[in-house]
Amino acid sequence: MAKTLQSLFVLLVVCSSPVLAQRSESDYTISNFKFESGESIASLRIHYTTLGRPSKDAKGVVRNAILMLHGTSGSGTALATPMSSLFAPGELLDTTKYFVILPDGIGHGKSSKLSDGMHMRFPKYTYNDMVDAEHRLLVDGLGVSHLRLLMGTSMGCMHGWIWGEKYSGFIDGIVALACAPAPIVGRNRMIRRLIIDNIERDPEWKGGEYKTQPRGLRGAMGDLYIMTSAPVLQLKQAPTREAADSVVNGYIDTRAKAMDANDVIYAFDASRDYDPSTSLESVTTPVLAINSADDFVNPPELGLMEMLIPRATHARYVLIPISEKTRGHGTHSVPAAWHDYLAEFLQTLH
């Protein structure tokens, strides 16, 4: 009985916290959305989660909005959990002060996607399409014409650079976590190609018209595991052959059950035209770009960031050394690894 009362007390405390009390989810529908490919869709649904409430200045402009963008095959809804320490009262993105918006990108989460029924007939979206939809959600759907901060992880990080080029005056500051403002080529593109080919070359895929998920999805999730791997952490997790087999098989089992093969194909191919390196000089918004030294997707030995970042007027690059806090590419969703850099950056914003 005592344990039951204790559990009830904990539940009441959690549910009454300012973060959860101000959380909501909804959909915004864009009619006749036109894609870069020339295709269009009569009704594009963009799902989003919000934390906190908008605050307007004397001119009616929302001044406390933060846009947080997720990575490939993720969702804004899911990103809220690993970032939750930032939203607590007194923390950097305290949701009693800030209005945090976490959209599910096109083809992801609860937004319009292939697995809703169109399968491979769904328009072949790009990152530019996704950014366009994010912008329309803010301006037309939520009445937000100004962002205090844009934070993006992985794919969302790349969206951040596109935002910086298209809408520099819209944003006070951008935090780009785990990406480079460069085209997806080399090993990065190769592993995306492997993920796609694992599915499309499986006879069970049937051109996208499968009734059950093709076995090739499991191979694709294996490639994704390597893509997001962190060797130091994984050696600690799996110090024996048996443990290693168990960890990777467990990951593949979980991801393969949660994902749809067609959605995965489009999500990993959406980066095909991404290349902000041609217009970095147009990014006048202050940018804090953070990568980790154990990132398989953005290996520091390429030297890309040192070459590209100086071309953006007010950009700073931080490379986090490998430590107990880093998680390979997934360091982008570990606030403890970059909290202090974010705090310093926020103090510089006007």
Side-chain angles (χ1 to χ4, degrees), residues 43-61:
S43 179
L44 179 70
R45 180 183 68 258
I46 298 297
H47 186 79
Y48 62 95
T49 300
T50 60
L51 305 172
R53 298 287 181 265
S55 177
K56 298 180 180 180
D57 63 15
K59 296 181 180 180
V61 177

Side-chain angles (χ1 to χ4, degrees), residues 146-225:
H146 172 268
L147 287 173
R148 176 59 175 166
L149 187 71
L150 184 154
M151 290 186 67
T153 66
S154 191
M155 177 182 72
C157 172
M158 291 185 272
H159 287 194
W161 285 106
I162 296 172
W163 268 88
E165 292 188 349
K166 285 191 169 186
Y167 308 109
S168 242
F170 195 100
I171 313 166
D172 288 345
I174 296 171
V175 178
L177 295 157
C179 77
I184 304 298
V185 294
R187 189 174 69 184
N188 195 335
R189 176 60 188 180
M190 290 174 189
I191 199 160
R192 291 167 192 265
R193 186 72 257 167
L194 290 172
I195 288 170
I196 293 168
D197 286 353
N198 255 305
I199 298 170
E200 291 189 340
R201 292 183 180 179
D202 182 353
E204 293 180 0
W205 178 59
K206 300 178 181 178
E209 296 303 317
Y210 46 86
K211 301 300 180 185
T212 59
Q213 296 298 325
R215 281 176 288 184
L217 179 59
R218 291 184 59 82
M221 293 303 97
D223 288 328
L224 179 58
Y225 184 81

Side-chain angles (χ1 to χ4, degrees), residues 44-87:
L44 179 70
R45 180 183 68 258
I46 298 297
H47 186 79
Y48 62 95
T49 300
T50 60
L51 305 172
R53 298 287 181 265
S55 177
K56 298 180 180 180
D57 63 15
K59 296 181 180 180
V61 177
V62 174
R63 291 294 177 185
N64 67 333
I66 295 173
L67 182 64
M68 192 168 284
L69 302 174
H70 64 81
T72 305
S73 78
S75 70
T77 307
L79 185 59
T81 299
M83 295 297 195
S84 61
S85 63
L86 298 172
F87 307 140

Side-chain angles (χ1 to χ4, degrees), residues 161 165 181-182 275-284 304-315:
W161 285 106
E165 292 188 349
D275 183 11
S277 67
T278 59
S279 305
L280 283 175
E281 289 77 10
S282 67
V283 181
T284 57
L304 288 173
M305 300 300 281
E306 290 82 357
M307 177 178 65
L308 295 171
I309 290 298
R311 291 177 46 203
T313 310
H314 303 292

Side-chain angles (χ1 to χ4, degrees), residues 25-342:
E25 292 186 42
S26 190
D27 293 322
Y28 175 62
T29 301
I30 306 173
S31 299
N32 299 314
F33 186 87
K34 291 181 171 53
F35 294 79
E36 276 194 317
S37 64
E39 301 166 280
S40 63
I41 192 169
S43 179
L44 179 70
R45 180 183 68 258
I46 298 297
H47 186 79
Y48 62 95
T49 300
T50 60
L51 305 172
R53 298 287 181 265
S55 177
K56 298 180 180 180
D57 63 15
K59 296 181 180 180
V61 177
V62 174
R63 291 294 177 185
N64 67 333
I66 295 173
L67 182 64
M68 192 168 284
L69 302 174
H70 64 81
T72 305
S73 78
S75 70
T77 307
L79 185 59
T81 299
M83 295 297 195
S84 61
S85 63
L86 298 172
F87 307 140
E91 256 299 342
L92 299 180
L93 307 182
D94 181 347
T95 54
T96 65
K97 298 179 180 179
Y98 290 106
F99 179 46
V100 182
I101 305 156
L102 302 105
D104 294 357
I106 296 173
H108 292 70
K110 297 179 183 177
S111 291
S112 293
K113 54 188 180 295
L114 292 77
S115 57
D116 291 340
M118 290 186 70
H119 301 168
M120 299 298 285
R121 296 183 299 280
F122 194 90
K124 291 202 71 173
Y125 61 85
T126 64
Y127 284 178
N128 286 333
D129 294 320
M130 299 175 85
V131 168
D132 183 17
E134 292 157 6
H135 183 262
R136 291 173 72 172
L137 165 66
L138 293 186
V139 176
D140 301 330
L142 298 173
V144 172
S145 59
H146 172 268
L147 287 173
R148 176 59 175 166
L149 187 71
L150 184 154
M151 290 186 67
T153 66
S154 191
M155 177 182 72
C157 172
M158 291 185 272
H159 287 194
W161 285 106
I162 296 172
W163 268 88
E165 292 188 349
K166 285 191 169 186
Y167 308 109
S168 242
F170 195 100
I171 313 166
D172 288 345
I174 296 171
V175 178
L177 295 157
C179 77
I184 304 298
V185 294
R187 189 174 69 184
N188 195 335
R189 176 60 188 180
M190 290 174 189
I191 199 160
R192 291 167 192 265
R193 186 72 257 167
L194 290 172
I195 288 170
I196 293 168
D197 286 353
N198 255 305
I199 298 170
E200 291 189 340
R201 292 183 180 179
D202 182 353
E204 293 180 0
W205 178 59
K206 300 178 181 178
E209 296 303 317
Y210 46 86
K211 301 300 180 185
T212 59
Q213 296 298 325
R215 281 176 288 184
L217 179 59
R218 291 184 59 82
M221 293 303 97
D223 288 328
L224 179 58
Y225 184 81
I226 297 301
M227 190 178 193
T228 56
S229 62
V232 173
L233 172 66
Q234 285 154 354
L235 180 60
K236 184 176 294 187
Q237 289 177 330
T240 66
R241 290 187 296 273
E242 293 78 12
D245 291 351
S246 177
V247 168
V248 73
N249 285 327
Y251 175 93
I252 292 172
D253 288 344
T254 300
R255 296 288 290 183
K257 289 177 182 177
M259 306 302 293
D260 174 81
N262 287 338
D263 290 342
V264 169
I265 290 170
Y266 269 42
F268 280 94
D269 193 41
S271 61
R272 60 192 178 277
D273 294 330
Y274 169 76
D275 183 11
S277 67
T278 59
S279 305
L280 283 175
E281 289 77 10
S282 67
V283 181
T284 57
T285 300
V287 178
L288 173 62
I290 302 176
N291 287 349
S292 61
D294 53 357
D295 188 345
F296 181 94
V297 185
N298 301 289
E301 59 266 30
L302 297 181
L304 288 173
M305 300 300 281
E306 290 82 357
M307 177 178 65
L308 295 171
I309 290 298
R311 291 177 46 203
T313 310
H314 303 292
R316 178 194 176 196
Y317 170 51
V318 172
L319 179 65
I320 302 175
I322 298 172
S323 74
E324 293 293 317
K325 294 179 181 178
T326 59
R327 296 292 183 271
H329 188 62
T331 304
H332 58 58
S333 295
V334 183
W338 38 262
H339 176 281
D340 293 348
Y341 295 112
L342 174 60

